[in-house]
Each structure stands twice: as C-alpha cells, then as structure tokens.
Amino acid sequence: MLSKLKRLEQEAKLLEPNRKTRVSLAQEIEQFIQDFFDEVSNSPAYQADHYRQSFLSILETPSLRSDWLNQLKQYVINPGVNVTSPGFLGYIPSGGLYISALADYIAAATNCFAGAYFISPGAARLENTVVAWLCQLIGYESTAGGTLTSGGSMANFIALVAAREEKDLPACNFSRCVIYVTSQTHHSNIKGLRIAGLKEAILRYVPVDNHFKMKTHLLEQMIKKDRRNHLIPWLIIATLGTTNTGSVDPIKKISDIALRYQLWLHVDAAYGGFFILCPTVRKIIQPMSLADSITVDPHKGLFLPYGTGAVLTKKVASLLTAFYYNEFDYLPNKNDLLQISSTSVSPELSRPFRGLRLWLPLKWYGLGPFTAALNEKLLLTQFLYHQLRKDSRIEFACKPQLSVLTFRYHPKKGDANKFNEQIFEKIKADGQVFFSKTQLDHKTFLRIATLSFRTHLDTILLAIDKLYWAIEQINKT
Ligand SMILES: *Cc1c(COP(=O)(O)O)cnc(C)c1O
C-alpha cells in the first residue's frame, strides 16, 4: 500500500509545478497577453469562425503542442464578435480592464474563499466594502445591502427571489400575482421569473411611449383594474437603460405608484446604472435609489472583464430572508457573524473572489478615469446622433438618452428592412466595426452602442464611414 501511495503521490505532484516551471509558463503566457494588449486597439470587431476539434478534444495524456497559445488564439479567442475591440459597438459592450485581469490572477492563484466571513474575513470584508460603495454610489442608505454576482441575469434572478420571499407569497397564489414589465424589459427578468417558479404569474406588458419608456398612467390603470379583479399586483420591473434604445423608464413616477399600491419595484440598471457618475443624465438616473432592488453590471459600465454583476436591495434584510440558511452544522450561526457573508445573501457558497477585480481598479485609478470614460461615451453618442441627423434618409427610433443610438436607413427604392439587414451584414463581414440590429414595431433598426472604454472619437468616425461605405456597396449591386 505504501509503495502504491508513493507512486500516486509522485504522479499527483505534477499538479504542483516548481518555481522554475511556474516562471517559465507564466512568462510564455505573459508574452502572449502583452502581445494581445499591444494589438487590441487595432483588432477587428468580428472574425469568421473556424476551429479544429483535435485541438479542443481532451485525451488521457498531455496533448498540447508547443505553439498551443497560437492555436488558442486562432481557434478559440479570435472567432466571432471581438468584444475587446474598440470597434465593437453591438449589444451592450463590455470591457476587459488589464488591471482587473491581474486581480483575477491574484484571486485565482491565492484562491481566497470569499463566500464566508469566518473562512476568509479579509476577502469578505473587501467584498462588503465594495458592495457598500456601490450602495452609496446609487444613493441607498446604510440599511441597504447586496452581493456580487456573475452578471446582470443572476442579479435580476436574485432580486426577483428576494421580492417573492419578502412578500411571503404562497405558491397557491402565484397564478394571481401580477408583474408589470414593458416590451423593452430585458429577457433575463422574464427568464428569472420562470426559474424562480413564477411562470404561472400574470405578466402585464405596460405600453411604452415613443421614447420606449413605460407609460405610467397606464401602469396605474392596470394595477387598479387588477386590484378590482382580486388579483395581487406584486412587482414592477423598470429598466434604466433598455437594450434596444438605451431608454430610461420614469423611475420616480413608477416608484410613487409602487409605494401607493405597495408593489415591489425592481430597477434593472445593468446597462445604465453607472451613468449615475455623469452630471448630464444624473437627474433621470438618481431616482433609482427609490427602488426596492437594483441590478448593476460592473462588467458593462465599469469596463471589467465578464463575470461581475451586482444586486443591491434597499434593505439587506430582504436578501437575508431569501438566502440565509443556518442549518449546516459546520457553518457558524448568523449571530456569530460580525460581517455579512455573501453566502447568506446569495444562492452561492463556493465562488470566485469577485470583489478583487472591482476593488483593485477603483483603488488604482480612483473614480476619475471611469467618470471621464462614461461622460465621453454619452458625448460620443450625441456627436454621432448630430452627424447622422444631417441625413434625411436616416430615421431614429428615438433620441438617444444614454449611449445607444438606434436608427434605420431609408433607401431610395426597395424594402427598408432588407436594406438595413444588408447594412448589418456588410459591416459585420468587413469586421472593423460591429453594429447590432433589432426589431421595433416590425421594423429593422441598426444599433450603435458605445460603452467600451477603448471606443473613442476615431472609432465613431470610422463607424460613420463604414455605414456610408456599406450603403454605397449595397446600392451598387
Ligand atoms: C446586459 C443586461 C442584462 C443581463 O446581464 P448579463 O450580465 O449579460 O447577465 C440584463 N438587463 C439589462 C438591461 C442588460 O443590459
């Protein structure tokens, strides 16, 4: 038995390389990363997909070639939409701050257990500090709380579960519960309701105005009618920065209605939340502090790599009610805790130490460059809007409220939907910039969403050039 143990130990120890091996591996990867960052400002926003299965397939024995990093780049990193390119103007752009990548390296290597205060008090305290900072930023009082999540979808889901538990809704009442959304509500909320067991609840789509904002007088009428019909108006989901047009629902008015009829107000600010830093739009954003729960997405508005969202609730107690669990023998009692553990306010236990990737850039740079970058995005969008407005063939879905511009081109002849689809395809195939497209009232619109910290004036000028280049190409054929 002892000789067998020795043999197994010998083999298992391959998982713990010595310093020389570590340094050489790290240097190889470091070189690769530095090349990536040197090239990223000129990298295309879209590349065609190709892959080699033999590179991906996992075998019993080591199966990487010495040029594996190049293969990784070729078959894994490059294909498809390149969200790190400054020319990526589709969907909601994300970031990929270098300093956060380094923070992730530290977090993964040291593998701190940030989920529970008694296991890693330092990591838990850091995350609680970051969450408290987020709460303060959006205007919550000290009774607020929250947790860092993998992204906005998970944050929305957690908020909906907290809302369900706070109301203490028995399942037999779900089918009488009414939830108010609009056609512009992000689908992750609807999905979140389903996975929270609420698919039987009644979903009411409150009509939107011509800026794609919820019509609050209709919201109130619907709630009154539902009450009269003995239903249970329960939850309003408002959006601060819709995906299609970047529209901001009138949060103050919605909050007044939520208070009057005692509904839970969730504000999905995954895209728009961090524009609270920008004086020109603060007025429409500030009322989010009236919400019972809020989703923000630091991997959008604070330019972090994917994997960081946050859910905040006006009262931390709402999260504890939904997620605290003390029946494990090996976890300490709630009363033993000097600080909140994230496991007490979220569905997760073991999880990555997410706080570090958010904390380090804020400590390193301060808020200044983040605020500047966000102000720049708003101004770039206004610039783009004013440039495109000179062309009478361009129709706008609405005036841009944040940093999404949604528009369509009216060709001299032929079907406008088809023409805009063609513009989208041409620009995608060219690859230098990437727009996205959407449908509003059965019309195809193009979207330019400016949120990457790498997107500056030169990219927006390039985007305009590419738009007219694409139009010319299509007109020629
Ligand atoms: C991006 C986004 C989401 C989803 O967030 P993920 O981080 O992609 O899970 C939800 N709501 C809105 C408004 C968004 O912009």
PDB file of all heavy atoms in Angstrom, residues 236-264:
ATOM      1  N   ILE A 236     -43.111  45.474 -10.027  1.00  0.00           N
ATOM      2  CA  ILE A 236     -42.887  46.265 -11.250  1.00  0.00           C
ATOM      3  C   ILE A 236     -41.402  46.136 -11.594  1.00  0.00           C
ATOM      4  O   ILE A 236     -40.549  46.305 -10.720  1.00  0.00           O
ATOM      5  CB  ILE A 236     -43.209  47.759 -11.034  1.00  0.00           C
ATOM      6  CG1 ILE A 236     -44.627  47.936 -10.486  1.00  0.00           C
ATOM      7  CG2 ILE A 236     -43.036  48.540 -12.338  1.00  0.00           C
ATOM      8  CD1 ILE A 236     -44.911  49.359  -9.994  1.00  0.00           C
ATOM      9  N   ILE A 237     -41.129  45.831 -12.839  1.00  0.00           N
ATOM     10  CA  ILE A 237     -39.732  45.802 -13.275  1.00  0.00           C
ATOM     11  C   ILE A 237     -39.521  46.994 -14.220  1.00  0.00           C
ATOM     12  O   ILE A 237     -40.102  47.040 -15.306  1.00  0.00           O
ATOM     13  CB  ILE A 237     -39.379  44.483 -13.985  1.00  0.00           C
ATOM     14  CG1 ILE A 237     -39.665  43.286 -13.065  1.00  0.00           C
ATOM     15  CG2 ILE A 237     -37.900  44.495 -14.422  1.00  0.00           C
ATOM     16  CD1 ILE A 237     -39.423  41.922 -13.692  1.00  0.00           C
ATOM     17  N   ALA A 238     -38.743  47.957 -13.755  1.00  0.00           N
ATOM     18  CA  ALA A 238     -38.440  49.126 -14.580  1.00  0.00           C
ATOM     19  C   ALA A 238     -37.021  48.970 -15.121  1.00  0.00           C
ATOM     20  O   ALA A 238     -36.205  48.268 -14.528  1.00  0.00           O
ATOM     21  CB  ALA A 238     -38.552  50.390 -13.741  1.00  0.00           C
ATOM     22  N   THR A 239     -36.770  49.615 -16.241  1.00  0.00           N
ATOM     23  CA  THR A 239     -35.446  49.481 -16.846  1.00  0.00           C
ATOM     24  C   THR A 239     -34.750  50.825 -16.919  1.00  0.00           C
ATOM     25  O   THR A 239     -35.327  51.809 -17.386  1.00  0.00           O
ATOM     26  CB  THR A 239     -35.557  48.879 -18.268  1.00  0.00           C
ATOM     27  OG1 THR A 239     -36.377  47.713 -18.194  1.00  0.00           O
ATOM     28  CG2 THR A 239     -34.185  48.508 -18.813  1.00  0.00           C
ATOM     29  N   LEU A 240     -33.524  50.836 -16.449  1.00  0.00           N
ATOM     30  CA  LEU A 240     -32.716  52.039 -16.527  1.00  0.00           C
ATOM     31  C   LEU A 240     -31.654  51.780 -17.606  1.00  0.00           C
ATOM     32  O   LEU A 240     -30.594  51.248 -17.326  1.00  0.00           O
ATOM     33  CB  LEU A 240     -32.077  52.298 -15.155  1.00  0.00           C
ATOM     34  CG  LEU A 240     -31.616  53.723 -14.885  1.00  0.00           C
ATOM     35  CD1 LEU A 240     -31.423  53.946 -13.412  1.00  0.00           C
ATOM     36  CD2 LEU A 240     -30.371  54.052 -15.654  1.00  0.00           C
ATOM     37  N   GLY A 241     -32.031  52.089 -18.829  1.00  0.00           N
ATOM     38  CA  GLY A 241     -31.152  51.797 -19.960  1.00  0.00           C
ATOM     39  C   GLY A 241     -31.585  50.511 -20.648  1.00  0.00           C
ATOM     40  O   GLY A 241     -31.062  49.444 -20.355  1.00  0.00           O
ATOM     41  N   THR A 242     -32.570  50.628 -21.546  1.00  0.00           N
ATOM     42  CA  THR A 242     -33.029  49.424 -22.241  1.00  0.00           C
ATOM     43  C   THR A 242     -32.001  49.017 -23.291  1.00  0.00           C
ATOM     44  O   THR A 242     -31.233  49.844 -23.788  1.00  0.00           O
ATOM     45  CB  THR A 242     -34.379  49.667 -22.950  1.00  0.00           C
ATOM     46  OG1 THR A 242     -34.191  50.709 -23.918  1.00  0.00           O
ATOM     47  CG2 THR A 242     -35.461  50.090 -21.961  1.00  0.00           C
ATOM     48  N   THR A 243     -32.036  47.746 -23.625  1.00  0.00           N
ATOM     49  CA  THR A 243     -31.053  47.230 -24.571  1.00  0.00           C
ATOM     50  C   THR A 243     -31.292  47.794 -25.968  1.00  0.00           C
ATOM     51  O   THR A 243     -30.349  48.197 -26.649  1.00  0.00           O
ATOM     52  CB  THR A 243     -31.122  45.688 -24.590  1.00  0.00           C
ATOM     53  OG1 THR A 243     -31.067  45.242 -23.232  1.00  0.00           O
ATOM     54  CG2 THR A 243     -29.960  45.099 -25.362  1.00  0.00           C
ATOM     55  N   ASN A 244     -32.531  47.854 -26.394  1.00  0.00           N
ATOM     56  CA  ASN A 244     -32.801  48.288 -27.766  1.00  0.00           C
ATOM     57  C   ASN A 244     -32.438  49.744 -28.022  1.00  0.00           C
ATOM     58  O   ASN A 244     -31.860  50.069 -29.060  1.00  0.00           O
ATOM     59  CB  ASN A 244     -34.289  48.101 -28.091  1.00  0.00           C
ATOM     60  CG  ASN A 244     -34.585  46.673 -28.520  1.00  0.00           C
ATOM     61  OD1 ASN A 244     -33.697  45.972 -29.006  1.00  0.00           O
ATOM     62  ND2 ASN A 244     -35.811  46.245 -28.329  1.00  0.00           N
ATOM     63  N   THR A 245     -32.812  50.623 -27.107  1.00  0.00           N
ATOM     64  CA  THR A 245     -32.656  52.049 -27.386  1.00  0.00           C
ATOM     65  C   THR A 245     -31.984  52.827 -26.254  1.00  0.00           C
ATOM     66  O   THR A 245     -31.859  54.045 -26.337  1.00  0.00           O
ATOM     67  CB  THR A 245     -34.042  52.707 -27.656  1.00  0.00           C
ATOM     68  OG1 THR A 245     -34.885  52.436 -26.535  1.00  0.00           O
ATOM     69  CG2 THR A 245     -34.687  52.166 -28.916  1.00  0.00           C
ATOM     70  N   GLY A 246     -31.579  52.153 -25.196  1.00  0.00           N
ATOM     71  CA  GLY A 246     -30.947  52.847 -24.074  1.00  0.00           C
ATOM     72  C   GLY A 246     -31.922  53.760 -23.342  1.00  0.00           C
ATOM     73  O   GLY A 246     -31.513  54.765 -22.737  1.00  0.00           O
ATOM     74  N   SER A 247     -33.197  53.431 -23.383  1.00  0.00           N
ATOM     75  CA  SER A 247     -34.200  54.309 -22.756  1.00  0.00           C
ATOM     76  C   SER A 247     -34.266  54.094 -21.254  1.00  0.00           C
ATOM     77  O   SER A 247     -34.005  53.004 -20.765  1.00  0.00           O
ATOM     78  CB  SER A 247     -35.578  54.036 -23.363  1.00  0.00           C
ATOM     79  OG  SER A 247     -35.546  54.313 -24.742  1.00  0.00           O
ATOM     80  N   VAL A 248     -34.652  55.160 -20.575  1.00  0.00           N
ATOM     81  CA  VAL A 248     -34.734  55.118 -19.110  1.00  0.00           C
ATOM     82  C   VAL A 248     -36.189  55.301 -18.702  1.00  0.00           C
ATOM     83  O   VAL A 248     -36.790  56.344 -18.975  1.00  0.00           O
ATOM     84  CB  VAL A 248     -33.851  56.229 -18.488  1.00  0.00           C
ATOM     85  CG1 VAL A 248     -33.949  56.208 -16.975  1.00  0.00           C
ATOM     86  CG2 VAL A 248     -32.399  56.068 -18.939  1.00  0.00           C
ATOM     87  N   ASP A 249     -36.763  54.295 -18.082  1.00  0.00           N
ATOM     88  CA  ASP A 249     -38.141  54.413 -17.612  1.00  0.00           C
ATOM     89  C   ASP A 249     -38.231  55.537 -16.573  1.00  0.00           C
ATOM     90  O   ASP A 249     -37.253  55.807 -15.865  1.00  0.00           O
ATOM     91  CB  ASP A 249     -38.599  53.087 -16.971  1.00  0.00           C
ATOM     92  CG  ASP A 249     -39.014  52.047 -18.013  1.00  0.00           C
ATOM     93  OD1 ASP A 249     -39.468  52.443 -19.101  1.00  0.00           O
ATOM     94  OD2 ASP A 249     -38.872  50.839 -17.732  1.00  0.00           O
ATOM     95  N   PRO A 250     -39.401  56.183 -16.471  1.00  0.00           N
ATOM     96  CA  PRO A 250     -39.551  57.274 -15.475  1.00  0.00           C
ATOM     97  C   PRO A 250     -39.629  56.696 -14.063  1.00  0.00           C
ATOM     98  O   PRO A 250     -40.712  56.450 -13.536  1.00  0.00           O
ATOM     99  CB  PRO A 250     -40.857  57.955 -15.892  1.00  0.00           C
ATOM    100  CG  PRO A 250     -41.589  56.961 -16.714  1.00  0.00           C
ATOM    101  CD  PRO A 250     -40.615  55.978 -17.270  1.00  0.00           C
ATOM    102  N   ILE A 251     -38.478  56.507 -13.468  1.00  0.00           N
ATOM    103  CA  ILE A 251     -38.383  55.741 -12.219  1.00  0.00           C
ATOM    104  C   ILE A 251     -39.115  56.435 -11.060  1.00  0.00           C
ATOM    105  O   ILE A 251     -39.760  55.781 -10.255  1.00  0.00           O
ATOM    106  CB  ILE A 251     -36.894  55.523 -11.826  1.00  0.00           C
ATOM    107  CG1 ILE A 251     -36.073  55.046 -13.016  1.00  0.00           C
ATOM    108  CG2 ILE A 251     -36.787  54.596 -10.615  1.00  0.00           C
ATOM    109  CD1 ILE A 251     -35.981  53.616 -13.249  1.00  0.00           C
ATOM    110  N   LYS A 252     -39.008  57.760 -11.000  1.00  0.00           N
ATOM    111  CA  LYS A 252     -39.644  58.472  -9.889  1.00  0.00           C
ATOM    112  C   LYS A 252     -41.153  58.239  -9.901  1.00  0.00           C
ATOM    113  O   LYS A 252     -41.746  57.876  -8.876  1.00  0.00           O
ATOM    114  CB  LYS A 252     -39.319  59.973  -9.994  1.00  0.00           C
ATOM    115  CG  LYS A 252     -40.074  60.863  -9.021  1.00  0.00           C
ATOM    116  CD  LYS A 252     -39.539  60.756  -7.596  1.00  0.00           C
ATOM    117  CE  LYS A 252     -40.225  61.693  -6.622  1.00  0.00           C
ATOM    118  NZ  LYS A 252     -41.554  61.251  -6.189  1.00  0.00           N
ATOM    119  N   LYS A 253     -41.761  58.420 -11.066  1.00  0.00           N
ATOM    120  CA  LYS A 253     -43.212  58.236 -11.163  1.00  0.00           C
ATOM    121  C   LYS A 253     -43.603  56.792 -10.887  1.00  0.00           C
ATOM    122  O   LYS A 253     -44.610  56.521 -10.235  1.00  0.00           O
ATOM    123  CB  LYS A 253     -43.691  58.621 -12.575  1.00  0.00           C
ATOM    124  CG  LYS A 253     -43.757  60.106 -12.796  1.00  0.00           C
ATOM    125  CD  LYS A 253     -44.439  60.391 -14.129  1.00  0.00           C
ATOM    126  CE  LYS A 253     -44.454  61.862 -14.445  1.00  0.00           C
ATOM    127  NZ  LYS A 253     -44.662  62.090 -15.881  1.00  0.00           N
ATOM    128  N   ILE A 254     -42.796  55.874 -11.398  1.00  0.00           N
ATOM    129  CA  ILE A 254     -43.094  54.448 -11.178  1.00  0.00           C
ATOM    130  C   ILE A 254     -42.990  54.127  -9.690  1.00  0.00           C
ATOM    131  O   ILE A 254     -43.815  53.406  -9.129  1.00  0.00           O
ATOM    132  CB  ILE A 254     -42.144  53.563 -12.018  1.00  0.00           C
ATOM    133  CG1 ILE A 254     -42.409  53.785 -13.509  1.00  0.00           C
ATOM    134  CG2 ILE A 254     -42.317  52.091 -11.659  1.00  0.00           C
ATOM    135  CD1 ILE A 254     -41.429  53.101 -14.431  1.00  0.00           C
ATOM    136  N   SER A 255     -41.979  54.709  -9.055  1.00  0.00           N
ATOM    137  CA  SER A 255     -41.789  54.453  -7.624  1.00  0.00           C
ATOM    138  C   SER A 255     -42.970  54.991  -6.811  1.00  0.00           C
ATOM    139  O   SER A 255     -43.412  54.349  -5.850  1.00  0.00           O
ATOM    140  CB  SER A 255     -40.469  55.084  -7.183  1.00  0.00           C
ATOM    141  OG  SER A 255     -40.517  55.417  -5.841  1.00  0.00           O
ATOM    142  N   ASP A 256     -43.490  56.165  -7.195  1.00  0.00           N
ATOM    143  CA  ASP A 256     -44.666  56.700  -6.496  1.00  0.00           C
ATOM    144  C   ASP A 256     -45.825  55.710  -6.570  1.00  0.00           C
ATOM    145  O   ASP A 256     -46.525  55.473  -5.582  1.00  0.00           O
ATOM    146  CB  ASP A 256     -45.110  58.034  -7.129  1.00  0.00           C
ATOM    147  CG  ASP A 256     -44.110  59.155  -6.843  1.00  0.00           C
ATOM    148  OD1 ASP A 256     -43.280  58.978  -5.929  1.00  0.00           O
ATOM    149  OD2 ASP A 256     -44.164  60.190  -7.539  1.00  0.00           O
ATOM    150  N   ILE A 257     -46.002  55.134  -7.761  1.00  0.00           N
ATOM    151  CA  ILE A 257     -47.107  54.174  -7.948  1.00  0.00           C
ATOM    152  C   ILE A 257     -46.844  52.912  -7.123  1.00  0.00           C
ATOM    153  O   ILE A 257     -47.737  52.379  -6.459  1.00  0.00           O
ATOM    154  CB  ILE A 257     -47.279  53.851  -9.447  1.00  0.00           C
ATOM    155  CG1 ILE A 257     -47.719  55.116 -10.189  1.00  0.00           C
ATOM    156  CG2 ILE A 257     -48.266  52.714  -9.660  1.00  0.00           C
ATOM    157  CD1 ILE A 257     -47.716  55.004 -11.699  1.00  0.00           C
ATOM    158  N   ALA A 258     -45.586  52.453  -7.143  1.00  0.00           N
ATOM    159  CA  ALA A 258     -45.237  51.247  -6.385  1.00  0.00           C
ATOM    160  C   ALA A 258     -45.533  51.451  -4.896  1.00  0.00           C
ATOM    161  O   ALA A 258     -46.070  50.566  -4.228  1.00  0.00           O
ATOM    162  CB  ALA A 258     -43.767  50.900  -6.592  1.00  0.00           C
ATOM    163  N   LEU A 259     -45.212  52.641  -4.397  1.00  0.00           N
ATOM    164  CA  LEU A 259     -45.465  52.941  -2.985  1.00  0.00           C
ATOM    165  C   LEU A 259     -46.956  53.000  -2.702  1.00  0.00           C
ATOM    166  O   LEU A 259     -47.442  52.432  -1.722  1.00  0.00           O
ATOM    167  CB  LEU A 259     -44.837  54.291  -2.622  1.00  0.00           C
ATOM    168  CG  LEU A 259     -43.355  54.271  -2.255  1.00  0.00           C
ATOM    169  CD1 LEU A 259     -42.872  55.697  -2.010  1.00  0.00           C
ATOM    170  CD2 LEU A 259     -43.132  53.415  -1.005  1.00  0.00           C
ATOM    171  N   ARG A 260     -47.668  53.680  -3.587  1.00  0.00           N
ATOM    172  CA  ARG A 260     -49.103  53.881  -3.368  1.00  0.00           C
ATOM    173  C   ARG A 260     -49.841  52.545  -3.305  1.00  0.00           C
ATOM    174  O   ARG A 260     -50.728  52.352  -2.501  1.00  0.00           O
ATOM    175  CB  ARG A 260     -49.665  54.764  -4.498  1.00  0.00           C
ATOM    176  CG  ARG A 260     -51.040  55.326  -4.213  1.00  0.00           C
ATOM    177  CD  ARG A 260     -51.457  56.358  -5.265  1.00  0.00           C
ATOM    178  NE  ARG A 260     -50.404  57.314  -5.573  1.00  0.00           N
ATOM    179  CZ  ARG A 260     -50.126  57.748  -6.809  1.00  0.00           C
ATOM    180  NH1 ARG A 260     -50.825  57.330  -7.841  1.00  0.00           N
ATOM    181  NH2 ARG A 260     -49.151  58.612  -7.013  1.00  0.00           N
ATOM    182  N   TYR A 261     -49.441  51.606  -4.176  1.00  0.00           N
ATOM    183  CA  TYR A 261     -50.175  50.331  -4.238  1.00  0.00           C
ATOM    184  C   TYR A 261     -49.380  49.183  -3.614  1.00  0.00           C
ATOM    185  O   TYR A 261     -49.739  48.029  -3.759  1.00  0.00           O
ATOM    186  CB  TYR A 261     -50.554  50.019  -5.695  1.00  0.00           C
ATOM    187  CG  TYR A 261     -51.464  51.079  -6.275  1.00  0.00           C
ATOM    188  CD1 TYR A 261     -50.938  52.144  -7.015  1.00  0.00           C
ATOM    189  CD2 TYR A 261     -52.837  51.034  -6.054  1.00  0.00           C
ATOM    190  CE1 TYR A 261     -51.759  53.136  -7.532  1.00  0.00           C
ATOM    191  CE2 TYR A 261     -53.671  52.018  -6.574  1.00  0.00           C
ATOM    192  CZ  TYR A 261     -53.126  53.070  -7.299  1.00  0.00           C
ATOM    193  OH  TYR A 261     -53.952  54.047  -7.798  1.00  0.00           O
ATOM    194  N   GLN A 262     -48.259  49.536  -2.973  1.00  0.00           N
ATOM    195  CA  GLN A 262     -47.460  48.550  -2.256  1.00  0.00           C
ATOM    196  C   GLN A 262     -46.959  47.407  -3.126  1.00  0.00           C
ATOM    197  O   GLN A 262     -47.183  46.232  -2.833  1.00  0.00           O
ATOM    198  CB  GLN A 262     -48.268  48.011  -1.093  1.00  0.00           C
ATOM    199  CG  GLN A 262     -48.728  49.149  -0.204  1.00  0.00           C
ATOM    200  CD  GLN A 262     -48.802  48.758   1.235  1.00  0.00           C
ATOM    201  OE1 GLN A 262     -49.378  47.737   1.566  1.00  0.00           O
ATOM    202  NE2 GLN A 262     -48.189  49.545   2.076  1.00  0.00           N
ATOM    203  N   LEU A 263     -46.315  47.776  -4.198  1.00  0.00           N
ATOM    204  CA  LEU A 263     -45.655  46.782  -5.046  1.00  0.00           C
ATOM    205  C   LEU A 263     -44.154  46.884  -4.838  1.00  0.00           C
ATOM    206  O   LEU A 263     -43.644  47.937  -4.444  1.00  0.00           O
ATOM    207  CB  LEU A 263     -45.971  47.034  -6.536  1.00  0.00           C
ATOM    208  CG  LEU A 263     -47.314  46.509  -7.056  1.00  0.00           C
ATOM    209  CD1 LEU A 263     -48.436  47.438  -6.645  1.00  0.00           C
ATOM    210  CD2 LEU A 263     -47.255  46.360  -8.567  1.00  0.00           C
ATOM    211  N   TRP A 264     -43.478  45.819  -5.125  1.00  0.00           N
ATOM    212  CA  TRP A 264     -42.009  45.810  -5.104  1.00  0.00           C
ATOM    213  C   TRP A 264     -41.529  46.418  -6.415  1.00  0.00           C
ATOM    214  O   TRP A 264     -42.038  46.066  -7.490  1.00  0.00           O
ATOM    215  CB  TRP A 264     -41.509  44.369  -4.976  1.00  0.00           C
ATOM    216  CG  TRP A 264     -40.020  44.214  -4.911  1.00  0.00           C
ATOM    217  CD1 TRP A 264     -39.144  44.291  -5.968  1.00  0.00           C
ATOM    218  CD2 TRP A 264     -39.211  43.945  -3.763  1.00  0.00           C
ATOM    219  NE1 TRP A 264     -37.850  44.085  -5.535  1.00  0.00           N
ATOM    220  CE2 TRP A 264     -37.862  43.860  -4.184  1.00  0.00           C
ATOM    221  CE3 TRP A 264     -39.500  43.750  -2.408  1.00  0.00           C
ATOM    222  CZ2 TRP A 264     -36.815  43.595  -3.308  1.00  0.00           C
ATOM    223  CZ3 TRP A 264     -38.447  43.477  -1.541  1.00  0.00           C
ATOM    224  CH2 TRP A 264     -37.121  43.410  -1.987  1.00  0.00           C
TER     225      TRP A 264
END
